[in-house]
Amino acid sequence: MLDILILIGLPAMFASLTSWFARHQVSRPLVFFAFSATALYVLYGAAFYLAAPTVISMDVVAPADNPQFSDGQTKALSESMLPLVTAYLRPIALFSAAALPTLWLAIRISRKAPSKT
């Protein structure tokens, strides 16, 4: 369940953290959050479209401490704490690498105008 929340909420988490840290630099923080969250979800979809594995198998494999297996190294993807995050690590890494310049550009676009004093 936690892995599904991470997969669904990662762009919103990036956008909210950036909005919080840049709240004094942008002119309209709520508009900035909406714009950056929308842009990040589009980027997230593109990353999953380009880099996601085509087939993910969640087959159960015998655990490593099973006496039937002598090598002790057999681990299943479904035995990890976050199986979906583990399976989609490549598109998440691609998204994270592309999100930083996207958020930087969004901050640059929505900066407050310098005050004339």
Side-chain angles (χ1 to χ4, degrees):
M1 183 67 167
L2 179 63
D3 54 350
I4 293 173
L5 290 175
I6 290 172
L7 284 175
I8 292 172
L10 190 64
M13 184 181 70
F14 279 13
S16 62
L17 286 173
T18 305
S19 295
W20 188 77
F21 283 119
R23 68 186 181 274
H24 298 296
Q25 296 177 8
V26 295
S27 58
R28 296 180 180 171
L30 289 176
V31 173
F32 172 77
F33 172 74
F35 170 73
S36 62
T38 303
L40 287 181
Y41 272 106
V42 168
L43 187 65
Y44 199 55
F48 269 80
Y49 179 75
L50 295 173
T54 54
V55 176
I56 295 177
S57 175
M58 296 290 183
D59 294 335
V60 176
V61 179
D65 58 347
N66 192 336
Q68 292 178 345
F69 295 95
S70 60
D71 62 355
Q73 304 224 354
T74 307
K75 275 281 192 193
L77 182 62
S78 60
E79 291 178 11
S80 68
M81 287 290 290
L82 304 169
L84 287 177
V85 172
T86 305
Y88 289 115
L89 200 55
R90 189 170 154 202
I92 290 173
L94 177 67
F95 164 73
S96 298
L100 293 176
T102 303
L103 289 170
W104 176 80
L105 183 64
I107 290 172
R108 298 269 306 183
I109 290 172
S110 60
R111 268 195 183 161
K112 288 182 181 178
S115 60
K116 296 180 184 179
T117 55

